[in-house]
């Protein structure tokens, strides 16, 4: 896999610094920013501001110095692509994606003047009518199904994508291909089952296999690509919803679950094979902060210079200095 050559340099140069504070707290010390709302509850003005900020990102010049990057969107997507074989099927899956949601939210706020917080797609509300979801509204949302072809309605009709698992020099379009069957994994029965998990290990596996798979497979097309799925802007609403579900689970027993982390650092052999992933090398595993193949609070979350790296400990509390968010 060619992109791994870039990995070593990136990880080593991005030293394992403590996270810098991204948000200002008011004088009481209470986090008052980043009230993350369901897309379904945003006003049309709020929706338009978010969509405009995403379009802004797609039109901003790149700034990380990669010669292949055509715009800032490519760089944001790359942050996920380059380490797909160490952020999926592992214990760090939920924490890494939590920080990645913050990176995206922070970049919208600081580089595209976005004044809101990252919205989420409350997917359970749409299990009976996926295609009818307001997120797919071409006027106010992300455009709709395209049955595997290029998306032809909504603000991302012209979106050109460049990064795949195998190259950063591709030119291809955003696609969607709905599956109402797979989407049923987002239903309340599955959410209840995951919520009833008693350990992080049990919880992350349940959330990954049910609501997480439901969003990726239900929307299909680009969203079904385990590597390049952040290319569909809907990815960020989907993963923020997943993060909300994890936070709900944490809140059910906060004193224990603010520190409850576990899992492996290397995906299962079957998972690597199924996705054509290479086994992560020492340039990754020697720098992840964990001495063994067990995920701990010291585990480093690599952000590829989009924002500073952090540890899992830094993101466990959604209300903390780093994420500073609230789901409303
Ligand atoms: Cu991912």
């Amino acid at each position: 896999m060619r992109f791994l050559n870039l990995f070593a340099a990136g990880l080593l140069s991005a030293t394992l610094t403590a996270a810098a504070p991204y948000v200002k707290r008011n004088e009481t010390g209470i986090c008052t920013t980043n009230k993350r709302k369901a897309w379904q509850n945003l006003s049309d003005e709020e929706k338009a501001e978010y969509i405009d900020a995403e379009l802004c990102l797609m039109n901003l010049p790149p700034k990380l110095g990669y010669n292949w990057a055509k715009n800032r969107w490519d760089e944001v997507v790359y942050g996920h692509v380059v380490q797909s074989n160490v952020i999926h099927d592992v214990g760090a899956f939920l924490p890494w994606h939590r920080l990645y949601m913050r990176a995206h939210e922070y970049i919208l706020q600081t580089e595209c003047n976005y004044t809101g917080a990252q919205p989420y797609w409350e997917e359970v509300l749409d299990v009976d009518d996926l295609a009818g979801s307001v997120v797919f509204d071409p006027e106010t949302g992300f455009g709709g199904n395209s049955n595997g072809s290029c998306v032809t309605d909504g603000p991302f009709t012209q979106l050109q994508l460049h990064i795949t698992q195998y190259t950063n020099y591709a030119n291809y379009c955003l696609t969607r291909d709905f599956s109402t069957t797979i989407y049923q994994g987002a239903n309340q029965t599955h959410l209840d089952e995951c919520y009833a998990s008693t350990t992080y290990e049990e919880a992350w596996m349940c959330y990954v296999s049910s609501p997480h798979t439901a969003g990726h497979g239900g929307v299909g097309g680009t969203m079904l690509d385990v590597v390049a799925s952040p290319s569909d802007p809907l990815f960020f609403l989907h993963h923020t919803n997943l993060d909300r579900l994890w936070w709900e689970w944490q809140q059910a027993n906060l004193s224990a679950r603010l520190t409850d982390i576990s899992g492996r650092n290397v995906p299962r052999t079957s998972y690597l094979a199924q996705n054509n992933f290479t086994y992560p090398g020492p340039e990754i595993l020697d720098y992840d902060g964990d001495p063994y193949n067990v995920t701990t609070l010291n585990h480093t979350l690599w952000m590829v210079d989009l924002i500073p790296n952090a540890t899992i400990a830094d993101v466990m509390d959604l209300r903390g200095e780093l994420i500073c968010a609230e789901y409303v």
Side-chain angles (χ1 to χ4, degrees):
M1 217 169 356
R2 56 168 301 287
F3 61 72
L4 284 177
N5 297 333
L6 296 168
F7 205 137
L11 187 57
L12 294 171
S13 72
T15 49
L16 312 181
T17 51
Y22 299 113
V23 288
K24 293 204 167 57
R25 289 157 178 260
N26 68 18
E27 54 281 358
T28 64
I30 297 166
C31 168
T32 54
T33 51
N34 299 320
K35 288 192 186 302
R36 296 177 174 173
K37 304 176 190 170
W39 185 262
Q40 289 96 328
N41 292 332
L42 296 186
S43 68
D44 283 356
E45 291 71 29
E46 288 172 318
K47 289 176 184 168
E49 195 199 349
Y50 182 79
I51 297 282
D52 285 350
E54 288 288 59
L55 291 170
C56 155
L57 210 52
M58 293 162 187
N59 288 299
L60 279 184
K63 55 191 268 189
L64 296 183
Y66 299 117
N67 58 9
W68 46 261
K70 301 244 183 345
N71 53 51
R72 198 74 171 115
W73 187 248
D74 283 350
E75 294 178 335
V76 170
V77 171
Y78 176 73
H80 184 269
V81 171
V82 70
Q83 54 187 322
S84 285
N85 63 342
V86 284
I87 56 172
H88 300 120
D89 202 48
V90 295
F93 171 79
L94 289 173
W96 188 88
H97 286 79
R98 172 172 284 176
L99 186 58
Y100 187 52
M101 292 305 106
R102 179 61 189 133
H104 172 261
E105 177 182 61
Y106 179 73
I107 290 170
L108 289 185
Q109 292 168 338
T110 55
E111 299 180 31
C112 286
N113 301 316
Y114 177 59
T115 62
Q118 175 65 49
Y120 60 90
W121 175 17
E122 192 161 1
E123 295 167 340
V124 67
L125 301 178
D126 293 328
V127 288
D128 293 329
D129 184 10
L130 175 62
S133 172
V134 293
V135 301
F136 299 116
D137 189 315
E139 303 298 325
T140 62
F142 295 76
N145 191 12
S146 55
N147 298 306
S149 305
C150 298
V151 168
T152 54
D153 65 349
F156 306 114
T157 301
Q158 304 298 333
L159 182 56
Q160 278 300 303
L161 306 174
H162 306 115
I163 307 177
T164 73
Q165 180 167 353
Y166 304 104
T167 179
N168 296 334
Y169 297 92
N171 270 301
Y172 67 106
C173 64
L174 177 68
T175 65
R176 302 208 181 101
D177 195 359
F178 289 5
S179 166
T180 52
T181 309
I182 299 176
Y183 195 65
Q184 293 311 304
N187 71 25
Q188 194 59 48
T189 306
H190 289 289
L191 298 189
D192 291 346
E193 184 199 335
C194 295
Y195 188 75
S197 304
T198 52
T199 63
Y200 176 78
E201 185 107 16
E202 202 187 326
W204 80 261
M205 287 183 183
C206 186
Y207 283 118
V208 168
S209 63
S210 292
H212 173 246
T213 298
H216 284 285
V219 176
T222 304
M223 274 285 276
L224 198 49
D225 183 330
V226 66
V227 174
S229 48
S231 303
D232 187 337
L234 203 49
F235 174 94
F236 294 93
L237 270 71
H238 167 56
H239 259 279
T240 302
N241 188 55
L242 191 70
D243 188 66
R244 180 181 68 92
L245 297 174
W246 176 33
W247 179 239
E248 265 185 5
W249 179 84
Q250 286 184 284
Q251 283 181 301
N253 184 358
L254 211 47
S255 59
R257 295 177 184 173
L258 279 180
T259 53
D260 188 4
I261 195 73
S262 59
R264 53 187 169 258
N265 294 325
V266 177
R268 290 165 299 173
T269 309
S270 57
Y271 185 86
L272 293 171
Q274 173 193 328
N275 292 293
N276 204 17
F277 286 159
T278 51
Y279 192 94
E283 76 279 8
I284 300 168
L285 300 179
D286 288 357
Y287 293 88
D288 68 9
D290 288 328
Y292 307 107
N293 191 20
V294 176
T295 312
T296 72
L297 292 171
N298 294 325
H299 189 94
T300 300
L301 306 170
W302 183 40
M303 281 293 120
V304 198
D305 292 335
L306 292 169
I307 60 172
N309 296 337
T311 64
I312 288 182
D314 295 326
V315 304
M316 289 297 281
D317 191 342
L318 199 81
R319 309 159 303 178
E321 191 79 25
L322 185 51
I323 311 291
C324 197
E326 182 185 356
Y327 289 113
V328 296

